[in-house]
Amino acid sequence: MNNLTADDFLNQQQALEDEARELMPWDPKHCTYSLGALKQQVYACRTHGNIGVCYSCSIRCHTSCDIVELFTKRNFTCDCGTERDSRVDPKSKQKMCEIRENREPDVAASDNSYGPNFKGLFCDCAQEYDADSPTVMIQCVMGNECGEDWYHDHCIMGVEADSVSVKPEEMSDADAVTERHLENFPALDSFDAFICWKCVSKYAPYFQKIESSELANDIVSQTVIHGKDDKSVNAEGKRTRDDDTKPYSIFLKKGYQEALGKLSDSIKDNHNKLHIFLTQIAPQLIKDEEEYEPPAEEETILDIISKSLYQSINRAELAAGSSALYKLQSNLKNFLQPFAKNGKVVKEEDIASFFQKPK
Ligand SMILES: [Zn+2]
Ligand SMILES: [Zn+2]
Ligand SMILES: [Zn+2]
Ligand SMILES: [Zn+2]
Ligand SMILES: [Zn+2]
């Protein structure tokens, strides 16, 4: 540390801040528990019983836990500080959730659905997510049966990863997505959303009705059979008659929501099963709930400090060494403490006044 110049120090600080901002694009101030079931970013904590917690709690409460990012889940209530969370012993009377500051466990939502994703396992093959793999993963937009699982492209086709060839032209185009493209797998820009074969099979009669409806061409882009079959999809993307019994996934066209809405509206009989399916079982296919986004990160105290450090401090003084900077930082901490205690927002002029004070 002694060999670190003030410039190095500030650069390092900047890099850390940039990294932190990238990882934490939102202000981790609000827990979503009180908002109830939401479509939101969910993080699984494998240290405390594979519970799902909201964005802020993953940062503030389960800070040093083994966290798995699950991306969005619908209809999910944060389980930090509820009866499901083993982070704090209820007898200790400590804060159960650092944000809500409840001293007793809150009631856990009964309709949170906990699937394998919460153990960090994705897809039919139950693998952990590998950020370094070029394999495409797609989330099922319906989710009723699979818990909005994510699938590998080859697993959607029901084949081993190394048994499918990669289209060479996709790889040579430098500007194109660097992801590989499996033969017979729909091009990523040819569809808008995907429904896995598990969800399709569960509600097969309704999907058959949709596929044979007049609006099918506005809804279905392609169907892909799940199973070891080298012609899992024919030229038109339509299944042949003897494929009828095999499970298949549906790739949806852009605008499928409007088309399904139109289809649903065209059914005048409210007791019609397809109407019930579209309006009550899978309404998310017509109009999806908007994803909850935490409030955007306000300028943090750290931002203001580093800006002020750059602007107000005599560079020569900084060059004298980092120990001066450390001293300054601890003074600054003392200066900022009352602000933190009273929950007062620190403004740039407050910091400026600090730097103008004689030392
Ligand atoms: Zn929370
Ligand atoms: Zn935890
Ligand atoms: Zn919390
Ligand atoms: Zn898989
Ligand atoms: Zn599914």
Side-chain angles (χ1 to χ4, degrees):
M1 264 329 226
N2 283 338
N3 298 328
L4 200 69
T5 69
D7 265 352
D8 289 340
F9 182 86
L10 287 178
N11 285 338
Q12 238 174 47
Q13 177 122 337
Q14 188 62 48
L16 279 174
E17 279 174 42
D18 289 347
E19 199 178 322
R21 224 186 315 277
E22 204 168 295
L23 288 169
M24 300 186 246
W26 301 295
D27 200 354
K29 239 187 243 164
H30 309 278
C31 168
T32 59
Y33 175 81
S34 57
L35 299 174
L38 291 176
K39 178 176 177 180
Q40 60 179 315
Q41 300 277 333
V42 177
Y43 299 77
C45 173
R46 294 197 287 191
T47 309
H48 297 111
N50 304 320
I51 56 164
V53 301
C54 73
Y55 167 79
S56 298
C57 287
S58 75
I59 295 167
R60 298 271 301 276
C61 312
H62 295 261
T63 314
S64 46
C65 299
D66 176 13
I67 292 284
V68 183
E69 188 178 354
L70 303 185
F71 305 95
T72 62
K73 294 279 181 209
R74 284 190 198 95
N75 205 27
F76 196 87
T77 307
C78 176
D79 256 330
C80 175
T82 72
E83 296 141 343
R84 283 199 190 98
D85 189 353
S86 60
R87 190 176 66 92
V88 176
D89 178 3
K91 285 184 222 108
S92 72
K93 294 288 168 213
Q94 286 178 346
K95 288 180 224 160
M96 307 298 296
C97 167
E98 300 298 325
I99 301 168
R100 306 201 303 276
E101 302 192 339
N102 52 325
R103 307 273 165 176
E104 275 170 28
D106 281 322
V107 179
S110 58
D111 51 359
N112 275 356
S113 99
Y114 276 105
N117 285 181
F118 290 85
K119 297 185 182 124
L121 303 177
F122 297 90
C123 189
D124 196 39
C125 62
Q127 297 290 309
E128 294 197 3
Y129 175 65
D130 176 5
D132 298 325
S133 160
T135 307
V136 174
M137 287 195 88
I138 306 174
Q139 188 175 27
C140 174
V141 73
M142 184 172 172
N144 292 43
E145 183 66 8
C146 66
E148 297 173 78
D149 203 356
W150 289 80
Y151 295 92
H152 299 111
D153 47 10
H154 57 88
C155 293
I156 291 170
M157 297 171 78
V159 295
E160 299 292 326
D162 46 15
S163 70
V164 265
S165 53
V166 175
K167 274 189 191 164
E169 73 270 24
E170 297 279 334
M171 305 297 283
S172 58
D173 189 350
D175 292 330
V177 223
T178 50
E179 285 150 335
R180 63 180 191 154
H181 187 123
L182 297 186
E183 233 173 309
N184 294 330
F185 192 81
L188 293 183
D189 56 6
S190 72
F191 62 90
D192 191 40
F194 152 81
I195 304 176
C196 79
W197 70 95
K198 295 175 189 175
C199 289
V200 173
S201 297
K202 168 91 181 179
Y203 301 99
Y206 309 111
F207 284 109
Q208 276 154 20
K209 284 203 178 88
I210 291 169
E211 287 172 80
S212 58
S213 77
E214 273 177 23
L215 289 160
N217 275 337
D218 296 332
I219 299 165
V220 179
S221 160
Q222 272 193 39
T223 56
V224 171
I225 288 182
H226 174 75
K228 292 185 191 355
D229 184 339
D230 30 33
K231 44 173 186 17
S232 22
V233 75
N234 68 21
E236 290 88 47
K238 297 260 156 47
R239 285 165 299 117
T240 56
R241 183 173 283 168
D242 45 301
D243 288 334
D244 267 1
T245 53
K246 293 179 185 156
Y248 62 96
S249 302
I250 296 178
F251 290 81
L252 298 160
K253 267 190 189 162
K254 208 174 160 72
Y256 71 90
Q257 285 151 314
E258 292 78 41
L260 281 169
K262 236 193 257 174
L263 179 62
S264 169
D265 289 345
S266 72
I267 304 168
K268 297 290 167 235
D269 175 10
N270 281 354
H271 301 292
N272 177 291
K273 283 186 178 171
L274 180 59
H275 184 78
I276 293 170
F277 171 74
L278 287 171
T279 54
Q280 285 166 51
I281 296 172
Q284 71 270 29
L285 296 180
I286 292 177
K287 194 177 186 318
D288 205 356
E289 187 190 334
E290 206 148 318
E291 181 189 331
Y292 168 83
E293 267 202 25
E297 180 109 58
E298 294 159 24
E299 200 170 29
T300 61
I301 290 179
L302 209 62
D303 287 325
I304 302 172
I305 292 173
S306 71
K307 220 198 271 167
S308 304
L309 280 174
Y310 278 117
Q311 287 165 359
S312 327
I313 297 186
N314 182 329
R315 306 288 284 182
E317 199 182 324
L318 275 183
S322 50
S323 75
L325 190 64
Y326 284 128
K327 212 184 279 168
L328 187 74
Q329 278 198 317
S330 69
N331 286 341
L332 191 57
K333 227 189 217 161
N334 293 335
F335 170 77
L336 290 172
Q337 241 157 25
F339 286 93
K341 256 202 199 124
N342 305 328
K344 232 175 109 182
V345 177
V346 182
K347 300 219 179 69
E348 211 160 333
E349 48 269 30
D350 296 325
I351 305 275
S353 82
F354 169 81
F355 285 111
Q356 278 148 23
K357 261 191 226 160
K359 302 212 175 80

